[in-house]
Amino acid sequence: MGKAPIDAAGTGDDDADREVVEQEQAEIREFIKGLSADDIKSGSWFTKLSAHALNSYTDKVDWQYFQERYAGVPADAIVDQRIKMAARYAALEGGLSAGAYTAAVVATLGSLGGASPATVPAAVATLMVDVAFITRLQLRLAYDIAVLYRVPLDLSDPDDMWKLIRVAFTIKSGEVVREGVVKAVPAMVRPVIKRFYSRAALNAARGFPFVGKFLLQRNVIKIGIPLVGVPLAVVLNRYTTLLAGRHAQAVFRNEARVTELAENLSKQSRHPQLMLWVAWLVIRANHKITDDEALLMRHLVRVVREHHQVVDEQLAHLVGIDPAEVWRRIEAEPGDLSDILDVANRVATVDGAANAHEKAVISELGDRCRHRV
């Protein structure tokens, strides 16, 4: 399906929403029919599902796609709506698939084998419809959020594809997600949600089959866990999709913030090459580099190259930065250097409040810049 299910309804009409979910389930069911038992057990189903979920979808869903549907609406508002609707669809699908979750399915999963699609037991096929539905929904939701925040993803690039997978399924950042879970879901559901996210994290293995095994094992927690008064499949589908969406929003919104900062610093700078040296000096002040600082530096180098045609090979080959070299460059610049001081202050706070080392560099930088006026 080329169109996101979230676009198909979203009116709050239960019958219309259920119809959308049933159509999506039917499509996923056809996909599952083409899998072998080995595909499921080995995790190769995820490789096939990724292509199935994204190939035609990403050709159609871009910034213009959303502009036509939400003209003039801020990205935050669109993202919020899409996360809530995705969680609603996930819950509806969980209710429709709840019958698959019996202890017998666990035993059947363990005995899977063979290469023929016909060898996939009906109970496991029903379980896989739910797992594949939620997997595709969350993968597309994360992609939508990246597009809405204008974070470019080239899914033919393995690094970008792995980035999308990590974000969509809260891989590697599981600790952060689990912390947020405590306040984000009802108290009676928290133990089960925390158990869902406590599965072994994927920190190093990047093979798609490994991800498939990880996702299937994580979703098996839905089977056979009693939760008084609450259908477990509905609860887990809803809240894991909601949390996955909020995680994707936090990651891609933050990247958009850092990218925007780099763009603004480049446009406002009268000394683009010196700006890069000062930014790097501030970032290396405490001999540590945070993810946000690394991201900012990468985008600063890119936008200075694009806006000012400046490529500094000397900086690119630095192993350690000598403050004396930066001070020498400042002394060589005539006129007002207030823009450079502004750069230093804004770079220091890209990952939070400036630390003592950064403040010390900025203080000396301020003295030297004022001396030049």
Side-chain angles (χ1 to χ4, degrees):
M1 180 177 287
K3 184 166 77 168
I6 302 172
D7 289 328
T11 61
D13 184 325
D14 288 345
D15 291 338
D17 289 348
R18 183 177 293 270
E19 182 180 350
V20 170
V21 170
E22 288 174 344
Q23 289 173 354
E24 289 281 309
Q25 277 187 316
E27 184 184 343
I28 289 289
R29 199 170 287 112
E30 287 301 310
F31 166 77
I32 298 299
K33 285 180 182 178
L35 297 178
S36 69
D38 280 348
D39 287 333
I40 295 173
K41 191 170 185 178
S42 70
S44 294
W45 65 270
F46 181 73
T47 306
K48 297 180 178 181
L49 180 68
S50 298
H52 178 266
L54 294 173
N55 282 354
S56 61
Y57 186 79
T58 55
D59 288 339
K60 179 177 180 179
V61 178
D62 54 16
W63 173 251
Q64 187 61 35
Y65 175 90
F66 290 115
Q67 281 295 95
E68 291 171 359
R69 285 158 179 75
Y70 304 95
V73 181
D76 282 346
I78 305 171
V79 168
D80 185 70
Q81 179 182 348
R82 294 185 79 79
I83 291 172
K84 289 176 181 176
M85 280 309 306
R88 176 171 171 77
Y89 282 124
L92 285 170
E93 193 282 332
L96 294 172
S97 292
Y101 295 110
T102 66
V105 177
V106 178
T108 310
L109 277 173
S111 62
L112 280 180
S116 169
T119 64
V120 179
V124 174
T126 307
L127 165 67
M128 284 303 301
V129 169
D130 176 46
V131 174
F133 182 101
I134 297 302
T135 297
R136 185 172 77 166
L137 183 67
Q138 293 181 0
L139 200 58
R140 286 180 172 178
L141 177 62
Y143 177 80
D144 290 348
I145 292 170
V147 171
L148 283 162
Y149 285 121
R150 310 193 81 165
V151 174
L153 290 176
D154 176 5
L155 299 188
S156 65
D157 181 330
D159 287 338
D160 276 6
M161 185 63 193
W162 182 243
K163 177 180 180 178
L164 179 66
I165 290 169
R166 286 201 324 267
V167 171
F169 306 117
T170 62
I171 295 170
K172 194 175 181 180
S173 300
E175 292 297 332
V176 176
V177 173
R178 287 201 293 276
E179 286 300 315
V181 163
V182 177
K183 296 180 180 178
V185 301
M188 67 179 301
V189 184
R190 290 173 193 169
V192 181
I193 298 286
K194 290 175 76 173
R195 181 172 169 184
F196 180 90
Y197 282 110
S198 69
R199 296 284 181 174
L202 283 172
N203 290 321
R206 293 174 57 143
F208 277 22
F210 196 87
V211 177
K213 292 175 72 173
F214 167 81
L215 293 174
L216 182 56
Q217 290 167 3
R218 192 165 76 169
N219 276 274
V220 164
I221 194 174
K222 298 174 185 176
I223 302 169
I225 299 179
L227 195 63
V228 178
V230 182
L232 189 58
V234 174
V235 169
L236 272 176
N237 281 8
R238 177 186 176 190
Y239 283 108
T240 57
T241 300
L242 185 67
L243 291 167
R246 295 298 180 209
H247 176 63
Q249 181 179 29
V251 171
F252 290 128
R253 191 180 193 279
N254 182 66
E255 183 161 345
R257 173 187 68 85
V258 175
T259 304
E260 183 177 72
L261 174 59
E263 293 275 354
N264 289 339
L265 290 177
S266 175
K267 289 175 183 176
Q268 295 164 11
S269 178
R270 299 186 297 275
H271 308 85
Q273 189 165 14
L274 180 58
M275 176 183 71
L276 294 177
W277 283 83
V278 168
W280 190 234
L281 180 65
V282 172
I283 288 171
R284 297 296 289 140
N286 65 344
H287 307 292
K288 297 177 182 177
I289 306 173
T290 66
D291 288 345
D292 284 347
E293 288 173 334
L295 181 64
L296 175 61
M297 196 65 197
R298 178 162 64 85
H299 283 299
L300 270 178
V301 169
R302 175 184 60 81
V303 296
V304 165
R305 180 178 66 248
E306 292 173 357
H307 295 167
H308 305 282
Q309 292 72 54
V310 170
V311 178
D312 194 317
E313 294 292 343
Q314 185 179 349
L315 180 63
H317 288 94
L318 278 185
V319 175
I321 187 167
D322 182 358
E325 172 64 16
V326 181
W327 307 146
R328 184 190 67 75
R329 288 171 177 267
I330 287 174
E331 289 297 321
E333 288 286 348
D336 182 10
L337 294 181
S338 58
D339 60 313
I340 292 299
L341 186 56
D342 180 57
V343 165
N345 279 294
R346 296 173 75 179
V347 167
T349 57
V350 69
D351 57 347
N355 59 53
H357 299 282
E358 292 166 339
K359 288 178 180 178
V361 168
I362 292 170
S363 176
E364 183 165 357
L365 177 66
D367 291 342
R368 291 176 180 271
C369 286
R370 282 187 287 271
H371 173 69
R372 297 301 305 148
V373 177

